[in-house]
Amino acid sequence: MEQEEFIRQQKELNRLTLLISKGGTIKDCSHPIKGECRLPIKNAHSLQRQGSLKLLEKTVKGNSFIYCHTERQINKKYNFLDLKPIGRKDASTFYGFCDFHDTELFKEIENDPEATDIDNNLHCFLHTYRSFSHSYHRKYEEYKLFTSSEPEVLNYLNKFYGRDVDKVTQGVKLALQDLEIPKKRLDEILINKNYEDLEYYCYEYPYRCPVSCAGVSTPGHFKNGNPFNLSNSESISYSDIFTTVLPFAERTVIILAAFPDDLLAMKYLEELDNISNELEFQKYLSFHIINNLENVYISPKFYDRKTFKWRQSYCQLINIISDKYTPYIRYNKAFPINYFAFTEKIES
């Protein structure tokens, strides 16, 4: 797709995003024990506002901001669709938990943002559960949007997707159905407090990396390029990789998780864990994040110090990945992005 055409379509999509906030927003607590819920439904953060998001900020002339892959604006100087500065107050939010559950469920990791311990299964589970809940909630909102009867919404969907709108809607429906399976299992773990029923692959760097993310993904390929989640069959459920990356004051935590009986997901994580070359590990983990997750936040202290050509290429990669008509891309060792290199660390 030509850059000019993508910019035009992105403007249309930005308008559609405004419609979502009006007609596609869903306010519902994700916690399975509804009897405990106490209104209101909060605009909850999937990533810690006073923790990771705050630590990614850059302040210019008294204004603090971060970047998100899904928030874009035209860079008039260099004519490309650039990352858009946003405030952390509005970053990573979703109406997915009531006031009671947002406070009580996550207090172990939220009251002290630095408390997260990768050797603590409860901590790992809570981050995983919140990451999944964000992705699950967003998919529900997407399905609500695609099944809307509002004329303005239908007009934009037909303009953006044309004759493929029914096919895309069916794809969203199937994705939501797939997510119902891990949703049920994660709820059971939560209720029964069997936090060890997930397999966690956790890593920690002794410095602050410039990225934070939270979500569930279904990668298209294994590291060697073999197909992973590429079936179009309704009878085959996708395998899930739960991913959370949290920069703290003087360290960065990565929590990857999967169900132990999900053989494909376990193989994917074991391959990552068995990469012996640290540089290749960092690059592949960076590839996993940018290629598979939408809820990704980048520090301007990292992004703004790059050349405009690097930033252009970075945004073009996001464009390619986010285009529903683009096939899954595959990893190669020349991948140019490494969020976890010591040289990319950010300071206060």
Side-chain angles (χ1 to χ4, degrees):
M1 183 183 298
E2 295 295 327
Q3 181 74 3
E4 293 295 329
E5 175 65 12
F6 189 90
I7 290 174
R8 185 192 67 78
Q9 289 197 7
Q10 189 63 36
K11 287 181 178 179
E12 296 280 355
L13 191 57
N14 288 342
R15 177 65 184 273
L16 194 58
T17 301
L18 294 177
L19 294 177
I20 294 175
S21 65
K22 295 179 181 179
T25 298
I26 294 174
K27 296 184 179 182
D28 181 55
C29 184
S30 188
H31 198 283
I33 305 178
K34 301 299 184 184
E36 294 179 346
C37 288
R38 297 176 194 166
L39 296 178
I41 302 296
K42 294 183 66 176
N43 197 13
H45 286 263
S46 60
L47 294 161
Q48 298 156 314
R49 178 184 173 188
Q50 296 300 328
S52 296
L53 295 178
K54 183 177 182 180
L55 292 168
L56 292 180
E57 282 183 334
K58 179 179 178 180
T59 301
V60 178
K61 296 181 179 178
N63 295 316
S64 298
F65 60 96
I66 55 177
Y67 292 130
C68 176
H69 283 180
T70 57
E71 296 287 337
R72 312 291 292 280
Q73 68 180 10
I74 303 299
N75 185 316
K76 295 180 180 179
K77 183 176 180 179
Y78 297 113
N79 191 33
F80 72 99
L81 200 60
D82 206 349
L83 300 184
K84 177 183 177 180
I86 62 171
R88 61 183 163 91
K89 178 182 177 181
D90 301 317
S92 83
T93 56
F94 66 116
Y95 287 98
F97 288 101
C98 70
D99 184 60
F100 174 75
H101 286 124
D102 184 55
T103 301
E104 288 298 311
L105 178 58
F106 300 110
K107 63 184 179 182
E108 282 278 338
I109 56 174
E110 193 67 28
N111 290 350
D112 179 4
E114 294 283 337
T116 295
D117 179 1
I118 60 175
D119 294 320
N120 185 316
N121 283 342
L122 172 59
H123 289 190
C124 292
F125 175 79
L126 290 176
H127 282 298
T128 298
Y129 188 79
R130 186 158 60 179
S131 294
F132 172 83
S133 296
H134 182 274
S135 295
Y136 178 79
H137 194 86
R138 288 299 190 209
K139 189 58 66 176
Y140 246 117
E141 291 185 327
E142 187 178 6
Y143 184 65
K144 181 180 179 182
L145 179 75
F146 274 89
T147 55
S148 172
S149 59
E150 291 291 327
E152 191 175 9
V153 175
L154 292 173
N155 178 53
Y156 273 92
L157 286 174
N158 287 320
K159 184 181 293 186
F160 193 77
Y161 293 105
R163 66 183 64 183
D164 291 331
V165 66
D166 290 339
K167 180 180 179 181
V168 175
T169 302
Q170 181 64 12
V172 174
K173 180 181 179 181
L174 291 176
L176 185 58
Q177 290 176 352
D178 281 335
L179 288 177
E180 294 289 353
I181 299 172
K183 166 63 175 168
K184 182 179 179 180
R185 296 187 66 177
L186 290 171
D187 284 345
E188 289 174 351
I189 293 174
L190 175 66
I191 293 171
N192 298 321
K193 300 181 179 181
N194 293 328
Y195 310 122
E196 69 282 356
D197 284 357
L198 277 176
E199 193 74 32
Y200 306 105
Y201 286 73
C202 300
Y203 312 91
E204 187 167 307
Y205 287 100
Y207 45 88
R208 192 190 311 171
C209 298
V211 61
S212 187
C213 64
V216 60
S217 61
T218 55
H221 298 89
F222 289 103
K223 182 175 178 292
N224 63 5
N226 288 339
F228 178 19
N229 281 322
L230 292 180
S231 174
N232 292 320
S233 173
E234 296 184 24
S235 62
I236 297 178
S237 297
Y238 274 16
S239 294
D240 301 298
I241 307 294
F242 309 102
T243 305
T244 309
V245 176
L246 303 164
F248 294 110
E250 296 181 354
R251 62 187 177 122
T252 301
V253 164
I254 299 103
I255 302 171
L256 305 174
F259 293 109
D261 58 354
D262 187 338
L263 300 183
L264 289 178
M266 289 299 298
K267 179 181 177 182
Y268 183 94
L269 291 180
E270 287 168 0
E271 286 187 350
L272 175 64
D273 194 50
N274 288 330
I275 297 175
S276 58
N277 182 282
E278 178 61 24
L279 177 60
E280 188 175 353
F281 173 84
Q282 292 174 355
K283 283 192 170 188
Y284 189 69
L285 184 57
S286 301
F287 172 81
H288 168 78
I289 291 169
I290 195 172
N291 191 44
N292 297 310
L293 297 167
E294 293 182 353
N295 191 33
V296 179
Y297 294 85
I298 301 296
S299 174
K301 297 176 184 178
F302 159 79
Y303 184 78
D304 291 351
R305 66 194 183 199
K306 302 294 185 181
T307 67
F308 87 88
K309 288 186 177 180
W310 188 97
R311 299 198 303 270
Q312 232 175 355
S313 297
Y314 185 91
C315 290
Q316 182 62 24
L317 178 60
I318 297 173
N319 297 348
I320 293 170
I321 292 168
S322 63
D323 188 339
K324 291 183 180 293
Y325 299 104
T326 301
Y328 281 94
I329 65 173
R330 302 186 186 192
Y331 172 76
N332 67 72
K333 292 185 178 182
F335 188 67
I337 300 163
N338 183 356
Y339 300 124
F340 303 98
F342 180 78
T343 54
E344 303 290 11
K345 68 174 182 175
I346 58 173
E347 307 287 353
S348 299

